[in-house]
Structure formats: C-alpha cells, structure tokens
Amino acid sequence: MLFDTHAHYDDPRFDGIRDDLLASMPGKGVKYITNIGTDLATSRATLELTRKYPFVYGAAGFHPHEAKSMTDEALDEIVSMLGDGKIRAMGEIGLDYYYDLSERDVQRAAFARQLEIAKELDLPVVIHEREACADMLDILSASGVRRGVVHCFGGSRETAKILLDMGFYISFTGAITFKNARKAYEVVPYIPSDRIMAETDCPYLTPVPFRGKRNDSGYVHLVAEAIAQLKGLDPEEVARITLENGKRFFRL
C-alpha cells in the first residue's frame, strides 16, 4: 500500500472523472492521498474532497503564485479550515522566482506569515520552492518552523542536508524518472529512509513511461520504484517506508 502525499484533484483536468478515479485508488494499492490547496478556492475544494473520501486528507494555504490573493479575510478562512480534523498541514506555501506570478516581496511576506501561523497551530508545512532556494532557507530558518516537507525536491545534496538538519522531510515526484534528473542520482540515496516521501503532484509530472499524459495517484508506485532503484532497496520496502513516513508526518 502506498501514500500519495501531494496531489491536486481539484484541478479542472479531473472534471468528469474525479469521483470514479478517486474511488478506484484503494483498489490500485493507494491507501492515503493528501490533496494540497494552493489558494482559497482550491483549499475549499480540498476540504470537500476530504469529507467525501475517508482516505483523502488535505492541506490548505497560498501557493507563491497566489500570494497576491492572500487577503486578511481569505487567510482567516484558511486558518478556520486548518482547525478541521482532516486538514493536516499548511500548504502549499513557499517561493517561486521562476514564474514570478506574484511579486517577490509579496511572496516572501505571504510565506513568512503562513509559517508563523503553522508554528502557532503546531501544524507541518508543505513547501514549494523554485529558483528561490537561498531566500526560502533564510525565511524558513528565521521562522523557527521545524516540521515540514519540501515537495518535488530537485535541489542539491547540500540543500537537502540543511533541510534535514532542520528536521524536514524530502519528497520526490515522477520527475526523478526523467532523463535529465541527474541530481536525483546523488540526492535520493542520501536521504535517510525515515525522512523520504513519495508523491505524484498530479495532474503534473507523470512518471516515465507515461510522461506527457495526465498524472494520477495510480502512478505513485512508479515513484516508489524509482526511489527503490536509486537507494538499492526493494520496491515493496520503499512502499512501506514512504507510507509510514507519510502517516507520521501528517499524524494519521
């Protein structure tokens, strides 16, 4: 059994097939899924999915792309959602300097504020970072937050060490199956078995050999198999490890 720790079933690409697809997941060996909000609307949709499916949990927050929409009123509603028993983390929060869909100072302020809230509520954080590693680490370090995961990790072994020393988890997607995933060959074996998680980030980042198609949690086993190959472990052992790590991280 597997845990897809980061998914986006609120995405329009699942319209018309969402219910049938999610209902099929236990039969495909997926025991748990965490759906991750990226703004107020997707966090609301995440909450609804957690109420409909016993095996779906959630995170609520403002992605750096959506930092510009984080009003006080919207943030108050997110905080209210974080009090729900099935919303288990604040996220997806962080910094993205690749697209800059929100101004960088707005991203930094939103990230710091959400970290402050997560610390107050004793909730883990789900972090997105792209082309903003130094600022992400600086803000994270200053926040005092020590419960979190950097999802879809594509950074260096040195960055991984800093995060691990802070107490963070590292999560990998189907991107580690891509031909250009050179860093993964060094980083994945370095991550301790009790700090690694598997995710799809669906509908994005579909693993090889299905790259280019819409992703879903049914492919998370391919991520676990890639981790197993890189770490020299049995795929079933990695499935067990990542399942237990996900349960511990989200306190299930």
Side-chain angles (χ1 to χ4, degrees), residues 115-163:
L115 287 169
E116 181 182 351
I117 290 169
K119 188 175 181 183
E120 290 172 358
L121 298 178
D122 190 29
L123 285 172
V125 293
V126 179
I127 292 178
H128 169 104
E129 180 274 318
R130 191 169 186 187
E131 303 293 338
C133 184
D135 280 359
M136 181 271 288
L137 291 173
D138 285 347
I139 294 170
L140 193 56
S141 178
S143 75
V145 170
R146 297 296 180 263
R147 292 186 57 222
V149 59
V150 175
H151 101 98
C152 190
F153 189 78
S156 67
R157 176 170 166 164
E158 290 73 23
T159 299
K161 183 181 186 305
I162 294 169
L163 291 164

Side-chain angles (χ1 to χ4, degrees), residues 6-245:
H6 194 114
H8 298 283
Y9 282 101
D10 50 88
D11 192 279
R13 275 168 277 192
F14 293 114
D15 290 353
I17 60 170
R18 183 176 294 106
D19 288 338
D20 288 344
L21 190 59
L22 280 169
S24 74
M25 288 304 158
K28 296 178 179 179
V30 180
K31 189 176 179 71
Y32 298 110
I33 297 168
T34 306
N35 204 76
I36 310 294
T38 57
D39 60 10
L40 184 56
T42 57
S43 294
R44 287 171 175 165
T46 293
L47 183 58
E48 290 304 310
L49 287 171
T50 69
R51 289 172 172 166
K52 191 167 188 178
Y53 296 95
F55 56 90
V56 175
Y57 290 81
F62 286 89
H63 189 285
H65 291 344
E66 307 301 331
K68 58 185 178 290
S69 70
M70 198 184 85
T71 64
D72 289 342
E73 294 78 11
L75 188 57
D76 285 345
E77 186 172 340
I78 292 289
V79 171
S80 178
M81 292 181 202
L82 293 171
D84 187 280
K86 294 209 65 187
I87 302 298
R88 309 302 295 174
M90 186 154 220
E92 171 177 357
I93 68 176
L95 301 173
D96 192 311
Y97 292 174
Y98 183 81
Y99 287 109
D100 281 329
L101 296 184
S102 291
E103 294 291 335
R104 292 186 181 184
D105 59 341
V106 174
Q107 291 187 46
R108 289 189 288 265
F111 185 33
R113 178 63 182 128
Q114 290 180 100
L115 287 169
E116 181 182 351
I117 290 169
K119 188 175 181 183
E120 290 172 358
L121 298 178
D122 190 29
L123 285 172
V125 293
V126 179
I127 292 178
H128 169 104
E129 180 274 318
R130 191 169 186 187
E131 303 293 338
C133 184
D135 280 359
M136 181 271 288
L137 291 173
D138 285 347
I139 294 170
L140 193 56
S141 178
S143 75
V145 170
R146 297 296 180 263
R147 292 186 57 222
V149 59
V150 175
H151 101 98
C152 190
F153 189 78
S156 67
R157 176 170 166 164
E158 290 73 23
T159 299
K161 183 181 186 305
I162 294 169
L163 291 164
L164 291 167
D165 288 347
M166 285 184 181
F168 274 63
Y169 288 66
I170 307 290
S171 183
F172 296 96
T173 66
I176 66 172
T177 69
F178 299 170
K179 289 181 179 179
N180 62 352
R182 292 179 295 275
K183 288 182 181 178
Y185 290 90
E186 178 184 3
V187 175
V188 173
Y190 174 72
I191 307 300
S193 290
D194 64 348
R195 297 284 196 87
I196 197 166
M197 294 198 290
E199 58 167 296
T200 60
D201 199 21
C202 66
Y204 316 106
L205 299 173
T206 312
V208 173
F210 303 102
R211 187 177 184 183
K213 298 182 179 181
R214 177 194 39 77
N215 201 4
D216 65 60
S217 301
Y219 295 131
V220 72
H221 72 95
L222 295 172
V223 180
E225 289 166 14
I227 292 171
Q229 183 176 13
L230 290 169
K231 290 183 77 67
L233 297 173
D234 185 272
E236 292 181 355
E237 176 68 3
V238 171
R240 184 193 66 78
I241 287 169
T242 54
L243 171 64
E244 291 304 315
N245 290 346

